[in-house]
Protein backbone atom coordinates (compact mmCIF):
# COMPACT_ATOMS: atom_id res chain seq x y z
CA UNK A 1 0.00 0.00 0.00
CA UNK A 2 1.03 3.57 -0.62
CA UNK A 3 -0.16 6.95 0.55
CA UNK A 4 -0.60 9.77 -1.91
CA UNK A 5 -0.53 13.22 -0.38
CA UNK A 6 -1.59 15.78 -2.94
CA UNK A 7 -1.40 19.49 -2.14
CA UNK A 8 -3.61 21.30 -4.61
CA UNK A 9 -5.36 24.63 -5.18
CA UNK A 10 -8.62 24.97 -3.23
CA UNK A 11 -10.33 25.91 -6.51
CA UNK A 12 -9.47 22.46 -7.90
CA UNK A 13 -10.89 20.39 -5.04
CA UNK A 14 -14.29 19.65 -6.56
CA UNK A 15 -12.84 18.64 -9.91
CA UNK A 16 -10.18 16.37 -8.40
CA UNK A 17 -12.65 14.84 -5.95
CA UNK A 18 -15.03 14.02 -8.80
CA UNK A 19 -12.26 12.51 -10.92
CA UNK A 20 -11.12 10.30 -8.01
CA UNK A 21 -14.64 9.19 -7.29
CA UNK A 22 -15.18 8.34 -10.95
CA UNK A 23 -11.94 6.33 -10.90
CA UNK A 24 -13.30 4.30 -8.00
CA UNK A 25 -11.43 5.76 -5.05
CA UNK A 26 -13.69 5.59 -2.01
CA UNK A 27 -11.63 6.63 0.98
CA UNK A 28 -9.82 9.93 1.26
CA UNK A 29 -8.97 12.54 3.86
CA UNK A 30 -9.08 16.21 2.92
CA UNK A 31 -7.65 19.05 4.98
CA UNK A 32 -7.43 22.79 4.61
CA UNK A 33 -3.76 23.66 5.03
CA UNK A 34 -1.37 26.55 4.53
CA UNK A 35 1.81 26.21 2.54
CA UNK A 36 4.38 27.62 0.20
CA UNK A 37 6.74 26.31 -2.42
CA UNK A 38 9.62 27.73 -4.42
CA UNK A 39 8.14 31.22 -4.66
CA UNK A 40 7.76 31.35 -0.85
CA UNK A 41 4.10 32.13 -1.27
CA UNK A 42 4.61 35.26 -3.37
CA UNK A 43 2.09 35.73 -6.10
CA UNK A 44 4.24 38.49 -7.63
CA UNK A 45 7.98 38.89 -7.17
CA UNK A 46 9.07 42.10 -5.45
CA UNK A 47 12.71 43.07 -4.89
CA UNK A 48 13.69 43.32 -1.27
CA UNK A 49 11.32 40.68 0.10
CA UNK A 50 13.44 37.65 -0.66
CA UNK A 51 13.52 36.46 2.95
CA UNK A 52 9.88 36.64 3.90
CA UNK A 53 7.65 33.59 3.60
CA UNK A 54 3.98 33.98 2.87
CA UNK A 55 1.72 30.98 3.44
CA UNK A 56 -1.13 30.49 1.01
CA UNK A 57 -4.26 28.41 1.60
CA UNK A 58 -4.07 24.99 -0.05
CA UNK A 59 -5.97 21.71 0.11
CA UNK A 60 -4.23 18.49 1.13
CA UNK A 61 -5.78 15.23 -0.01
CA UNK A 62 -4.54 11.97 1.50
CA UNK A 63 -5.39 8.71 -0.21
CA UNK A 64 -4.13 5.27 0.80
CA UNK A 65 -4.36 2.81 -2.07
CA UNK A 66 -2.92 -0.35 -3.60
CA UNK A 67 0.56 -0.09 -5.15
CA UNK A 68 -0.77 -0.86 -8.62
CA UNK A 69 -3.18 2.11 -8.53
CA UNK A 70 -0.56 4.73 -7.70
CA UNK A 71 0.63 5.68 -11.18
CA UNK A 72 -2.87 6.05 -12.60
CA UNK A 73 -4.13 8.08 -9.67
CA UNK A 74 -1.08 10.39 -9.68
CA UNK A 75 -1.62 10.94 -13.39
CA UNK A 76 -5.30 11.65 -12.82
CA UNK A 77 -4.57 14.23 -10.12
CA UNK A 78 -1.88 15.93 -12.21
CA UNK A 79 -4.20 16.12 -15.20
CA UNK A 80 -7.10 17.48 -13.18
CA UNK A 81 -5.31 19.88 -10.82
CA UNK A 82 -2.99 21.57 -13.33
CA UNK A 83 -3.55 25.13 -14.51
CA UNK A 84 0.01 25.64 -15.73
CA UNK A 85 0.59 28.58 -13.36
CA UNK A 86 2.98 28.51 -10.38
CA UNK A 87 1.34 27.16 -7.26
CA UNK A 88 -0.46 24.24 -8.89
CA UNK A 89 0.78 22.03 -6.07
CA UNK A 90 2.70 18.85 -5.45
CA UNK A 91 2.16 15.14 -4.93
CA UNK A 92 4.10 13.02 -2.46
CA UNK A 93 3.98 9.21 -2.45
CA UNK A 94 5.09 7.15 0.56
CA UNK A 95 4.83 3.54 1.75
CA UNK A 96 2.13 2.48 4.23
CA UNK A 97 2.79 -0.50 6.52
CA UNK A 98 -0.77 -1.34 7.48
CA UNK A 99 -4.37 -0.19 7.65
CA UNK A 100 -7.19 -1.39 9.91
CA UNK A 101 -10.91 -0.85 9.48
CA UNK A 102 -12.05 -0.32 13.05
CA UNK A 103 -15.59 -1.69 12.59
CA UNK A 104 -14.54 -5.09 11.25
CA UNK A 105 -10.89 -5.35 12.28
CA UNK A 106 -10.05 -5.99 8.60
CA UNK A 107 -6.39 -5.28 8.00
CA UNK A 108 -4.08 -4.55 5.10
CA UNK A 109 -5.57 -3.91 1.68
CA UNK A 110 -8.89 -5.43 2.88
CA UNK A 111 -9.25 -2.35 5.08
CA UNK A 112 -9.08 0.17 2.23
N1 LIG B 1 8.96 20.47 -0.51
C1 LIG B 1 7.73 20.57 -0.04
N2 LIG B 1 7.40 19.95 1.11
C2 LIG B 1 6.13 20.03 1.60
N3 LIG B 1 5.14 20.69 1.01
C3 LIG B 1 5.42 21.32 -0.14
C4 LIG B 1 6.72 21.29 -0.73
N4 LIG B 1 6.68 22.00 -1.87
C5 LIG B 1 5.41 22.44 -2.00
N5 LIG B 1 4.66 22.04 -0.97
C6 LIG B 1 3.26 22.31 -0.76
O1 LIG B 1 2.64 22.43 -2.03
C7 LIG B 1 2.02 23.71 -2.18
C8 LIG B 1 2.13 24.17 -3.60
O2 LIG B 1 3.48 24.22 -3.96
P1 LIG B 1 3.88 24.85 -5.35
O3 LIG B 1 3.00 24.28 -6.40
O4 LIG B 1 3.91 26.35 -5.25
O5 LIG B 1 5.35 24.25 -5.50
P2 LIG B 1 6.59 24.89 -6.29
O6 LIG B 1 7.74 23.99 -6.06
O7 LIG B 1 6.74 26.34 -5.89
O8 LIG B 1 6.15 24.76 -7.81
P3 LIG B 1 5.68 25.96 -8.80
O9 LIG B 1 6.95 26.60 -9.28
O10 LIG B 1 4.90 25.28 -9.87
O11 LIG B 1 4.83 26.89 -7.99
C9 LIG B 1 2.72 24.58 -1.15
O12 LIG B 1 1.89 25.65 -0.74
C10 LIG B 1 3.00 23.61 -0.02
O13 LIG B 1 1.84 23.45 0.77
MG1 LIG C 1 5.19 27.68 -6.13
Amino acid sequence: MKKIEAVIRPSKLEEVKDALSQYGIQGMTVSQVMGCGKQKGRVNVYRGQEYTINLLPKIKMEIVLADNQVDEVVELIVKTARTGEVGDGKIFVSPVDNAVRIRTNAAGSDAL
Side-chain angles (χ1 to χ4, degrees):
M1 288 178 292
K2 295 271 196 287
K3 177 160 79 169
I4 292 179
E5 283 174 89
V7 182
I8 62 167
R9 296 179 189 277
S11 60
K12 285 290 190 177
L13 173 60
E14 285 304 309
E15 218 179 313
V16 174
K17 191 162 59 74
D18 290 350
L20 290 170
S21 152
Q22 212 160 341
Y23 176 85
I25 295 290
Q26 292 172 327
M28 66 180 82
T29 303
V30 175
S31 321
Q32 292 180 297
V33 297
M34 304 287 281
C36 68
K38 252 187 349 203
Q39 294 79 18
K40 297 181 177 174
R42 287 183 305 247
V43 180
N44 298 299
V45 178
Y46 300 107
R47 282 180 67 84
Q49 293 190 359
E50 282 84 4
Y51 300 106
T52 58
I53 283 183
N54 184 32
L55 297 175
L56 298 171
K58 297 284 171 183
I59 290 290
K60 183 170 78 172
M61 309 183 86
E62 295 172 74
I63 306 151
V64 176
L65 71 189
D67 290 17
N68 64 9
Q69 295 181 304
V70 170
D71 291 349
E72 278 178 348
V73 171
V74 167
E75 196 183 326
L76 191 65
I77 296 172
V78 167
K79 204 170 64 185
T80 318
R82 177 185 282 150
T83 69
E85 303 295 319
V86 298
D88 271 353
K90 223 161 258 190
I91 300 173
F92 304 99
V93 179
S94 45
V96 169
D97 288 341
N98 199 5
V100 176
R101 175 177 290 110
I102 292 174
R103 175 174 60 87
T104 57
N105 225 14
S109 55
D110 288 343
L112 299 181

